[in-house]
Amino acid sequence: MFPEQKQGYTYEEYKVTADWLRAKTEHRPLIAIICGSGLGGLAEILKDQKVFSYSDIPNFPQSTVQGHAGQLVFGTLNGKSCVCMQGRFHLYEGFPIWQVTFPIRVFQLLGVQTAIVTNAAGGLNEDYNVGDMMLIKDHLNLPGFAGNSPLVGPNDERFGPRFPCMSDAYDRDLRKLAQTVARELGFSDFLKEGVYSVVGGPSFETIAECHMLKRLGADAVGMSTVHEVIVARHCGMRVFGLSLITNKAVMDYDSKSKANHEEVLQTGRERASQLKRMISSFVERLERNNNVC
Ligand SMILES: O=P(O)(O)O[C@H]1O[C@H](CO)[C@@H](O)[C@H]1O
Ligand SMILES: Nc1nc2[nH]cnc2c(=O)[nH]1
């Protein structure tokens, strides 16, 4: 007989982690920021920081990818209490999908109401340039089509309904706010809005796959975000998604370009200060709206 395999976390396990964090910090975050590859510097915008290494937090998975530090940073941003994940988890690291999304439900138990989810992504839309920021207006969940959804398995109604709606996953008001903020900062020239497609990775896409994704309606492609967003929406959080276009997807058989993680990290470094200004001003302008921060 095989030993019984763990299929997910229990409500009590999420609670153990949330209670542990609550006991170790006075911060009571209403906003969570998830940093994409090479975008961990975003945490630097938080004041009065309390930092936890993932390895010290009960039940927390460990980051394994370069550009994902593996720290949970609590702090305030313009007086608003936030928690920032410097490092997320991806399917290709070998985590089951319920582990990839573990922190989101912990944040919900901590009282988080708004999730700001960032990522590095390859641009499929030919109008996109390296360094563009893309407001995510919708997603294509390729692993989900194959049955790999974080909500597979028994549904815990304490978090949300069996069949959550996803047609409004990326909050329209938050996207409008981001457009206003970008205009004020003079960022409109490199601000786009589009559809993010998640794939399993870790190999980057073939040329044929890039064409397929583009035909399906994707403007950018990556290996994250969507699983977190589904869990965040399931448990009632408002979601704002932002992709940094770190590289252009290779669409042409004559091209000599090759996608690589170093270019992804380098673009993150080059756009770090604009991203910090964008997220900082965005959070500053977030209004309490129906009690949602
Ligand atoms: O989505 P994030 O975590 O930003 O990272 C993106 O960058 C990595 C590839 O360079 C992949 O992990 C892809 O998903
Ligand atoms: N799948 C995928 N993920 C990325 N992350 C950053 N760039 C890319 C890309 O081109 N493809």
Side-chain angles (χ1 to χ4, degrees), residues 117-138:
V117 190
T118 71
N119 61 58
L124 295 160
N125 185 321
E126 66 268 18
D127 294 336
Y128 288 8
N129 297 307
V130 171
D132 283 352
M133 293 179 194
M134 183 187 88
L135 307 179
I136 306 178
K137 76 167 179 215
D138 204 347

Side-chain angles (χ1 to χ4, degrees), residues 123 125-137 175 178-179 182 187-195 219-220 240-245 248 271 278:
N125 185 321
E126 66 268 18
D127 294 336
Y128 288 8
N129 297 307
V130 171
D132 283 352
M133 293 179 194
M134 183 187 88
L135 307 179
I136 306 178
K137 76 167 179 215
R175 280 187 278 131
Q179 270 160 357
F187 291 176
S188 296
D189 283 354
F190 56 88
L191 190 78
K192 305 285 191 318
E193 186 169 271
V195 175
D219 296 294
F240 171 63
L242 185 68
S243 295
L244 176 66
I245 304 300
K248 276 178 95 97
R271 272 284 186 245
M278 177 80 187

Side-chain angles (χ1 to χ4, degrees), residues 35-39 65 68 88 90 92 118-121 196 202 204 221-225 246 260-262 264-265:
C35 302
S37 283
L39 309 181
V65 185
H68 292 263
R88 65 146 56 87
H90 307 83
Y92 64 75
T118 71
N119 61 58
Y196 175 91
F204 289 106
V221 56
M223 309 171 195
S224 71
T225 300
T246 52
N260 63 89
H261 193 53
E262 187 38 51
V264 169
L265 297 180

Side-chain angles (χ1 to χ4, degrees), residues 30-32 34 103-117 159 168-169 171 174 228-240 292:
L30 294 174
I31 300 164
I34 300 167
I104 307 298
R105 286 182 169 173
V106 171
F107 295 158
Q108 198 261 356
L109 292 177
L110 287 175
V112 166
Q113 296 174 336
T114 304
I116 298 174
V117 190
F159 285 117
D168 57 354
D171 191 274
L174 295 186
E228 297 150 0
V229 169
I230 289 171
V231 170
R233 292 298 297 147
H234 177 250
C235 65
M237 288 183 202
R238 205 159 62 144
V239 168
F240 171 63
V292 179

